[in-house]
Amino acid sequence: DNELLLAMPIPASRILGSRMAALLLPLLAAVCCGSCITPRLSVAADTDPAAWQQAAEVTIANDDTLARRDLDLFLRCNDRFGEDTLTVHITLLTPDSLRFGEPFLLTLRHDRRTAALASEAVIPYRRRVRFGRTGDYRIRITPARPVRGVESVGIHIKTSEQN
């Protein structure tokens, strides 16, 4: 009952085409899906470490109006920074020119490092945020008073783990 199957030769162009498709389809899918959902993003603006007192502005380009995101505020500081608390004013400018502002109190914990290394303080800011419009969202972070030792300030953005 054993039948002998004759193998018909497959043209080389068909083998090469199927291999290319096998390589390109996952790559194309990753590029398309990757543009929709960015699991983690950080945006930052440099400040004057001698005395930060001007608004630092960061821009978040949004193309996903359904995703929920968590926002953390961060400060990169040098050894001259010695604050335990810091009040900043955060202003959000939406793509359709709406403006929202609020004061925000940062409670900071100090990790002592050598003078040559900067430390980063990360403070949770907002959870499950949805940016309802496509376009650029601008966030301005301004200290309530001049602060020494802050080299840059920014926002860490990650996809919310809660649905």
Side-chain angles (χ1 to χ4, degrees):
D1 282 318
N2 290 342
E3 292 182 17
L4 179 63
L5 297 175
L6 296 175
M8 295 189 61
I10 299 173
S13 61
R14 188 169 172 195
I15 293 172
L16 183 59
S18 63
R19 283 186 185 163
M20 280 296 248
L23 291 173
L24 290 179
L25 284 177
L27 180 63
L28 182 61
V31 168
C32 290
C33 291
S35 65
C36 299
I37 300 170
T38 303
R40 186 174 292 273
L41 171 73
S42 294
V43 290
D46 290 335
T47 63
D48 180 3
W52 173 39
Q53 55 190 356
Q54 301 296 322
E57 185 173 298
V58 296
T59 301
I60 301 168
N62 182 52
D63 61 354
D64 186 348
T65 60
L66 299 176
R68 298 284 180 172
R69 299 178 181 108
D70 296 338
L71 307 178
D72 293 330
L73 186 67
F74 69 86
L75 303 173
R76 291 200 180 111
C77 308
N78 62 29
D79 62 329
R80 292 184 293 166
F81 182 75
E83 307 292 329
D84 292 330
T85 60
L86 175 63
T87 300
V88 296
H89 190 79
I90 299 176
T91 304
L92 173 72
L93 298 133
T94 65
D96 57 350
S97 301
L98 295 177
R99 180 186 303 251
F100 171 77
E102 67 179 336
F104 187 69
L105 177 66
L106 308 173
T107 304
L108 306 163
R109 182 178 60 97
H110 290 283
D111 293 332
R112 294 291 174 210
R113 297 184 178 194
T114 61
L117 297 176
S119 63
E120 182 174 283
V122 179
I123 301 95
Y125 175 55
R126 295 274 181 204
R127 295 291 173 251
R128 299 188 39 72
V129 172
R130 185 177 66 85
F131 294 118
R133 303 236 182 236
T134 59
D136 290 341
Y137 283 80
R138 296 179 314 186
I139 300 174
R140 292 183 185 148
I141 305 160
T142 311
R145 58 183 170 72
V147 181
R148 288 176 16 128
V150 177
E151 296 179 352
S152 65
V153 62
I155 304 279
H156 291 305
I157 305 158
K158 66 178 181 176
T159 302
S160 183
E161 294 176 5
Q162 299 173 348
N163 291 329

